[in-house]
Amino acid sequence: MQTRLELLEDYFPNGMYWNHVGVDTSEMTADEIAMCVTDTPCNHSVYGYGNCNIYNGLMDDFFPQYEDETQCLGYASLISDLLFGYDAPITEFYDFDELRIGDHIRMGWYEHSMIVTDIDWDTDTITVTEVNVDYENCQISWGRQITRSELFGMEGDLTYYTRYAN
C-alpha cells in the first residue's frame, strides 16, 4: 500500500492542482481528463467550476445527490480506485478505530473528502491526501495531520469508506 501511495504522490504532487486548466481536452476521454494535473489553480470564485476534473468511480453509488464527483470527492474517489482497483467493493463504517491506510473519510457537514495515508495510533493522528481544502483552487495536498479530537471537533457527521475485503 505504501509503495502505491508514494507512486500516486509522485503523479499527483503536493501543491499542484487537480484540474485541466490550459489543457486541450478535446480528444481526451473522461478518465484521461481525471488524470490531469496542472500548476494553475482553478479560482472557482472567478472562473467557476469548468476547469475542475471530474471522476465518477464506484464511490458515486454512495453520493447520488451529485451529478458529477468533482474537487475533493472526485479526487478521493480516484485515489481510492487507483489504490484498490475500480471493482473493489466499498464498505461504509463509522468507527475511527477501524480506519486503515487508504480509507476514504467523508465529512458530511463540510462536504469534504480525504484519503488516509498514514495512522499514528500512539497519538491518534491520521495523515491524509486531499484536494480543495480551501474550497477554491483544487490544490492537491499530501501530509496534513489531523488528530482524532480535531476530526471529531469539526462539525457534522463523519463517514468512513473502506475497500479492504475484511
Side-chain angles (χ1 to χ4, degrees):
M1 178 65 61
Q2 197 59 42
T3 301
R4 282 185 252 160
L5 281 168
E6 289 170 7
L7 289 171
L8 289 171
E9 186 175 4
D10 286 344
Y11 190 90
F12 300 99
N14 188 59
M16 296 294 281
Y17 299 90
W18 188 63
N19 64 36
H20 53 275
V21 174
V23 176
D24 179 4
T25 60
S26 61
E27 297 193 24
M28 296 173 75
T29 67
D31 285 346
E32 289 171 333
I33 295 170
M35 295 298 290
C36 286
V37 175
T38 73
D39 60 0
T40 307
C42 287
N43 291 326
H44 301 141
S45 59
V46 175
Y47 302 111
Y49 303 102
N51 290 313
C52 296
N53 289 351
I54 296 171
Y55 182 76
N56 293 328
L58 196 58
M59 186 61 68
D60 194 42
D61 293 343
F62 289 87
F63 299 97
Q65 68 271 36
Y66 301 114
E67 183 176 325
D68 290 314
E69 292 180 22
T70 63
Q71 302 167 37
C72 62
L73 179 57
Y75 175 80
S77 296
L78 176 62
I79 295 297
S80 181
D81 282 355
L82 292 172
L83 282 173
F84 293 97
Y86 179 83
D87 295 328
I90 300 171
T91 304
E92 183 178 278
F93 66 101
Y94 301 94
D95 185 353
F96 181 90
D97 292 319
E98 293 179 16
L99 275 175
R100 292 184 267 186
I101 294 172
D103 286 348
H104 178 151
I105 298 174
R106 181 68 177 176
M107 300 166 57
W109 190 86
Y110 283 99
E111 293 189 333
H112 187 65
S113 288
M114 56 193 111
I115 297 290
V116 177
T117 60
D118 196 22
I119 303 172
D120 182 342
W121 290 113
D122 292 333
T123 61
D124 272 348
T125 302
I126 59 170
T127 305
V128 300
T129 183
E130 61 199 325
V131 154
N132 208 39
V133 73
D134 67 355
Y135 298 94
E136 178 62 23
N137 292 315
C138 291
Q139 188 170 42
I140 300 166
S141 171
W142 290 82
R144 179 162 73 123
Q145 295 183 325
I146 308 167
T147 65
R148 176 195 302 248
S149 60
E150 288 170 335
L151 190 63
F152 289 164
M154 298 174 185
E155 292 184 34
D157 54 324
L158 295 169
T159 306
Y160 311 117
Y161 300 91
T162 192
R163 305 299 283 275
Y164 289 96
N166 54 14

